[in-house]
Amino acid sequence: MESSSSAGNSSSGSVPSTESTDKGPLWEYVTKISKTSEKGGTWKFECNFCHEIKQGSYSRVRAHLLQISKQGISTCRRVNNDNLLEMKTKDTEYENIKTNAAPRDVPLPSGGLEFQNTNKKRKSDLSPLARAFDTETRTQLDQEIARMFYTGGLSFNLARNPYYMRAFTFAANHNLGGYVPPNYNKLRTTLVQQEKANVERLLQPIKDTWKERGCQL
């Protein structure tokens, strides 16, 4: 069975496994063959232990080598206990570094996280008018929205978009306890597909007239 040192060496002519864009330590235990797309981190690779050809991002490489099942890729059966311990140690160190380097919550001008924990206590000190309009909660929401603009590099012109106002007005006027906004993947897949289908449906009556009246560009 291959040792960890031999498994970590890439064969000649392969793409280097330590590119700056792929920092995961377990890349050194596979040989990259080709990138499947210009964007993203999906590669076609060969496992340096079992020599099977696989395809996927770093998460798939990790699942294959660390023998994590049900991750959309088969686990490597040629990794011995010493190899597994070595890779798990490197993986743990890498995950700890990522966790420590992650951005930390910065308190908002109104008090941020402390405001959330002491909200009930502070309400008792407010005037009847302030309690009626819940001004502190409104202030915190304004600051949360503003920080989304600042940290995301969003144009202030977005605030003039009618759908920006419409979205928050809808949320404020409906009881949506536990609601979580759509994430990155849902925005770029499910929701954009639904919007595309909706636009196509709305355009269909116009397209149907093209056969009779023709279409000019």
Side-chain angles (χ1 to χ4, degrees):
M1 186 172 294
E2 298 91 333
S3 65
S4 60
S5 59
S6 62
N9 295 328
S10 300
S11 61
S12 60
S14 64
V15 181
S17 299
T18 55
E19 290 185 358
S20 59
T21 54
D22 299 306
K23 299 179 180 179
L26 302 187
W27 279 118
E28 66 180 273
Y29 297 94
V30 302
T31 299
K32 292 178 179 177
I33 299 174
S34 61
K35 202 165 187 178
T36 58
S37 62
E38 294 182 1
K39 296 182 179 180
T42 302
W43 286 82
K44 184 177 182 181
F45 62 88
E46 177 184 350
C47 175
N48 291 349
F49 293 103
C50 65
H51 299 291
E52 292 184 10
I53 305 298
K54 302 290 183 181
Q55 180 174 306
S57 61
Y58 181 72
S59 61
R60 294 284 177 88
V61 173
R62 182 174 179 270
H64 176 70
L65 294 172
L66 299 184
Q67 300 178 341
I68 304 173
S69 59
K70 299 181 180 180
Q71 298 297 315
I73 190 171
S74 61
T75 58
C76 182
R77 299 180 181 275
R78 298 292 302 278
V79 174
N80 61 31
N81 291 335
D82 291 338
N83 298 147
L84 190 59
L85 178 60
E86 177 182 305
M87 290 188 291
K88 283 185 175 181
T89 299
K90 290 186 177 182
D91 179 68
T92 300
E93 292 174 351
Y94 177 64
E95 293 299 323
N96 288 338
I97 291 174
K98 284 203 305 181
T99 300
N100 294 332
R104 291 174 171 76
D105 288 327
V106 178
L108 295 169
S110 61
L113 300 177
E114 294 181 2
F115 173 81
Q116 296 177 0
N117 297 329
T118 60
N119 193 27
K120 292 183 179 180
K121 182 178 179 180
R122 290 188 182 185
K123 279 187 176 181
S124 61
D125 299 330
L126 299 176
S127 66
L129 183 62
R131 285 199 298 271
F133 287 95
D134 204 356
T135 54
E136 287 199 0
T137 301
R138 292 169 184 261
T139 297
Q140 180 175 354
L141 179 57
D142 284 347
Q143 293 171 356
E144 294 279 8
I145 294 171
R147 181 162 292 178
M148 175 184 68
F149 275 79
Y150 307 150
T151 59
L154 300 177
S155 169
F156 294 138
N157 284 327
L158 177 60
R160 297 176 177 173
N161 187 310
Y163 293 102
Y164 164 81
M165 297 297 298
R166 183 173 171 177
F168 283 101
T169 300
F170 183 90
N173 292 335
H174 292 77
N175 184 11
L176 300 175
Y179 171 76
V180 177
N183 60 18
Y184 170 86
N185 286 323
K186 189 173 183 179
L187 283 170
R188 65 190 290 268
T189 56
T190 305
L191 292 177
V192 74
Q193 290 165 4
Q194 291 175 354
E195 186 68 12
K196 179 181 178 182
N198 182 52
V199 171
E200 291 289 346
R201 179 180 59 81
L202 295 174
L203 287 176
Q204 193 57 48
I206 298 176
K207 290 182 178 180
D208 291 341
T209 65
W210 291 352
K211 295 180 180 180
E212 300 177 1
R213 304 177 183 178
C215 176
Q216 293 182 347
L217 298 178

